[in-house]
Amino acid sequence: MKTIVIVGGGAGGLELATRLGHKLGKKKRAQIILIDRNRQHIWKPLLHEIATGSLDINSDGVIYRAHAAVHHYQFQLGAMIGLDNASKVIRLQSLHDDDGKEVLPEREIAYDTLVMAVGSVSNDFGTPGVAEHSYFLDSHHQAERFHMALLNQFLRINQKSTEAELRLAIVGGGATGVELAAELNHVADLLKVYGMPDMSAKRLKIDLIEAGPRILPALPQRIAAAAKKELNILGITIHENVRVTSADESSFITLDGDPIKADLKVWAAGVKAPDFIEAIGLFETNRNGQIVVKPSLLSTVDDSIFVIGDCCACEQPDGSWVPPRAQSAHQMASLVYKNILMTEQGKPLQEYLYKDHGSLVNLSRYSTVGSLMGNLTKGSMFIEGRMARLVYVSLYRMHQIAIHGWVKASAVYFAQKIGSSVKPKMKLH
């Protein structure tokens, strides 16, 4: 029986494993194995809400092993560290518990078809001091670590005089940085309800730092302008055309030598593929370490290896490159699903053409702005407010439908609604 191994359980990888499980795994036509270094999945665009406590991974995450049992694939916990394409095996790192005892040894998993869906991480470009003194939001573990630090800082500030401020600096004016800044403003106000009556957004000083000429550089100018206006209203200081050259314990240092002081520092700039991809030494990669692929999403070096999501460098017919976004990963997963079936049937593979359905930026409870693109809009249509918020939420619901099916996704939705009526609006532990 053919073995299809998918490395990475992000949006694209989990959706692909689910579809292949139902199509091939259920009928024993193939063995589907999903590998991830984490035990549970969270939709990456929601990591900033995990970081602020607006979302609780214990109620909103998907446990891979439980999900696999229902959707006819196998789950293996582990981090990929090697690949022998001649023998068609990947190597997984040994797994240890908190006491350093080995749980699982270093091991190999054989495949007939391999799908690389390992996502991306923030790129600090080797900026001195950033790795040691900043928080990153590339995984739910990192987001939860920031959340605990944030709660501790709120407690510290609350014990001081009402004039004391909590200073946060975020490098990266992309969607993650912008949405995090707005969400932080919101949770600071929430603390009034939870035993910190003197706490509010007024005691929060947020600096959002972007090296380029404007925030949200990958999105249309109108969206960026609307988001900037809303952030200014919230009192968030936006630094554009400001490059950070180093970081220390108390600040980010700019190219001009000016320190931007902060009690908590977040690096949310730049995207690159995980370092182990280049360390493998097999793939053709770009300057960000992403794997270069053919139009069919097969790697350029091996026709048994597909690549999807943020780790994929896919050039379009017009010379542009597919952006690292959730909708890209979803579309790539759909195409690779079809191409795996085409391979089974001996038919020619389809080529991937990215379709931009628009962009949305959610500014917490304050606003949502974005644009919709496609046949229905005859081009692009700017949207904001409740309509934009509805579309933004629907994107997550579509992801839930893709991994759970309509019935269970609906049940999850109602369970979350009921849960939100009894639990705190902010995770406080």
Side-chain angles (χ1 to χ4, degrees), residues 216-236:
L216 301 173
L219 305 186
Q221 170 66 39
R222 189 174 179 185
I223 296 177
K228 184 176 181 179
K229 179 181 178 182
E230 199 66 44
L231 293 178
N232 284 331
I233 292 171
L234 296 177
I236 294 165

Side-chain angles (χ1 to χ4, degrees), residues 164-299:
E165 288 184 327
L166 174 57
R167 301 166 303 176
L168 292 108
I170 304 166
V171 174
T176 299
V178 168
E179 292 180 333
L180 176 63
E183 198 67 42
L184 284 166
N185 206 79
H186 172 49
V187 297
D189 275 336
L190 278 179
L191 290 170
K192 292 178 184 178
V193 183
Y194 300 117
M196 298 185 188
D198 295 327
M199 196 68 203
S200 72
K202 292 179 181 178
R203 298 181 66 183
L204 197 63
K205 186 180 184 300
I206 301 175
D207 289 279
L208 180 62
I209 309 164
E210 168 57 42
R214 66 175 175 89
I215 62 170
L216 301 173
L219 305 186
Q221 170 66 39
R222 189 174 179 185
I223 296 177
K228 184 176 181 179
K229 179 181 178 182
E230 199 66 44
L231 293 178
N232 284 331
I233 292 171
L234 296 177
I236 294 165
T237 303
I238 299 173
H239 306 264
E240 294 171 327
N241 282 315
V242 174
R243 184 183 163 203
V244 170
T245 56
S246 65
D248 57 31
E249 191 173 352
S250 62
S251 58
F252 283 123
I253 312 299
T254 69
L255 183 61
D256 296 330
D258 298 324
I260 297 176
K261 298 287 185 179
D263 300 300
L264 290 175
K265 297 177 293 298
V266 179
W267 188 276
V271 171
K272 67 174 184 177
D275 292 336
F276 81 87
I277 288 179
E278 288 199 336
I280 287 172
L282 170 67
F283 298 108
E284 177 188 356
T285 58
N286 65 9
R287 64 178 184 172
N288 293 323
Q290 296 165 303
I291 301 170
V292 179
V293 296
K294 301 175 183 178
S296 61
L297 299 182
L298 282 169
S299 74

Side-chain angles (χ1 to χ4, degrees), residues 44-63:
K44 195 169 183 179
L46 297 179
L47 283 176
H48 70 283
E49 295 190 29
I50 299 289
T52 59
S54 301
L55 200 68
D56 186 352
I57 192 171
N58 295 317
S59 57
D60 293 278
V62 177
I63 309 300

